[in-house]
Amino acid sequence: MIGDYNGDGKPEIVGQVWGTGLYVFDGLSQLLAIETLPSTTLTSRQTSNGWQLIVGQVDGKASIRQFNGQSYPEVDSVNLGSNPIDGIYVTDSGNWWVGSDTVLRRYSRTGVNFVTPPYGTWFGRRVAGSANSSWIYSAGGYGVHGFNMNSR
């Protein structure tokens, strides 16, 4: 991902390697920061306090990290099951769409309120949505599937 995640006016390049960690290449200093954690997927969201990096992990936890002036420590976490998180997307309304174990689940403040059938290998590996749309998309071995958030 590319964006100004530390608020210095220059874009950072952020990536993750399955099972090993989070890598942030700073655009201003051109230094590489490494946060070691059992990561499986990566996304981001903008909050009133700045950008947050959301790192899915092998234990089903999402680690929420935010720049503190020096590094990207965990500022919060969310337990999203016990299986490795393959893909993750957080909507503006606070719903967490999580791909794991060939299904896509929607978590709200009250728990899981939508689960897809298993659509096959790698389904849920990528989860995407748009702030201006009511649709969530995920891809797998059998194609791209779309789900209308307002009809569920």
Side-chain angles (χ1 to χ4, degrees):
M1 302 181 317
I2 298 175
D4 185 13
Y5 297 109
N6 64 9
D8 66 2
K10 298 284 185 182
E12 284 69 53
I13 300 171
V14 180
Q16 99 16 262
V17 176
W18 203 98
T20 62
L22 176 68
Y23 299 85
V24 181
F25 180 76
D26 184 67
L28 186 61
S29 69
Q30 299 191 0
L31 296 175
L32 180 65
I34 301 171
E35 302 285 341
T36 304
L37 67 156
S39 60
T40 57
T41 191
L42 174 67
T43 191
S44 64
R45 69 177 173 182
Q46 191 168 23
T47 70
S48 59
N49 295 326
W51 282 96
Q52 293 180 330
L53 303 176
I54 300 170
V55 184
Q57 297 184 173
V58 296
D59 61 0
K61 182 177 104 173
S63 174
I64 302 168
R65 295 172 171 267
Q66 190 162 5
F67 189 68
N68 68 358
Q70 296 180 340
S71 64
Y72 292 84
E74 183 174 83
V75 295
D76 200 0
S77 66
V78 179
N79 186 359
L80 299 167
S82 59
N83 293 322
I85 296 174
D86 294 325
I88 194 165
Y89 180 79
V90 183
T91 67
D92 291 339
S93 62
N95 289 316
W96 293 66
W97 287 82
V98 178
S100 180
D101 200 28
T102 75
V103 299
L104 186 63
R105 292 176 180 85
R106 181 176 62 186
Y107 291 81
S108 69
R109 290 172 183 83
T110 59
V112 177
N113 57 16
F114 176 75
V115 180
T116 67
Y119 281 110
T121 305
W122 300 114
F123 179 72
R125 187 69 148 161
R126 300 285 181 254
V127 183
S130 171
N132 299 323
S133 173
S134 63
W135 287 83
I136 293 290
Y137 300 94
S138 187
Y142 300 107
V144 177
H145 301 270
F147 303 93
N148 187 325
M149 295 184 291
N150 293 331
S151 66
R152 305 275 174 207

